[in-house]
Amino acid sequence: MGYCKLPSAPDYSKLEQVFIEKDPAINDYLQAMSVANKVAEDKLGEVMQLSWYDRDRDFESPQHASECHMNSAIPGYVDYALYRDASLRVVFEDERFVFFYLKI
């Protein structure tokens, strides 16, 4: 019987990534989202935010997406975005906040 091999890390090769290190640091999720939205619109034009993660509060959207990924190397919010052909990943401060966008 065959088994599916789970990847050891997400494959971001098909999307653009922007890494943001702020000095001083981003205050909170709302500030990070505002900056990420501006970056996404500047890079892609009209976009839809697909998913996000806030490590400060350990929240993700869509909610509970990681529940079925408990033993997986790929968090649910990442899998959700990649499965929906995300165009852009915006990452703050070593994945403190992460946002995925789709160009529409």
Side-chain angles (χ1 to χ4, degrees):
M1 178 179 217
Y3 293 95
C4 293
K5 182 179 179 197
L6 291 176
S8 59
D11 178 8
Y12 298 125
S13 64
K14 295 181 181 168
L15 55 92
E16 183 174 358
Q17 296 187 79
V18 174
F19 298 91
I20 300 173
E21 298 296 328
K22 293 292 238 178
D23 187 17
I26 291 289
N27 291 327
D28 57 20
Y29 164 79
L30 291 176
Q31 184 183 15
M33 182 179 61
S34 177
V35 171
N37 287 345
K38 175 81 169 106
V39 167
E41 290 169 3
D42 287 350
K43 291 207 161 280
L44 302 175
E46 193 170 354
V47 296
M48 177 174 60
Q49 189 179 85
L50 290 174
S51 65
W52 55 263
Y53 177 65
D54 171 354
R55 186 172 63 210
D56 289 356
R57 299 178 300 155
D58 195 26
F59 283 170
E60 67 181 357
S61 176
Q63 284 186 314
H64 312 295
S66 290
E67 287 179 1
C68 64
H69 288 259
M70 294 303 279
N71 295 319
S72 175
I74 301 176
Y77 74 95
V78 173
D79 190 53
Y80 183 90
L82 294 178
Y83 185 74
R84 286 155 182 81
D85 296 323
S87 307
L88 175 67
R89 176 181 181 239
V90 180
V91 180
F92 291 85
E93 302 168 12
D94 196 32
E95 298 191 0
R96 179 179 170 208
F97 304 106
V98 181
F99 300 88
F100 285 90
Y101 295 89
L102 175 66
K103 179 177 175 53
I104 53 174

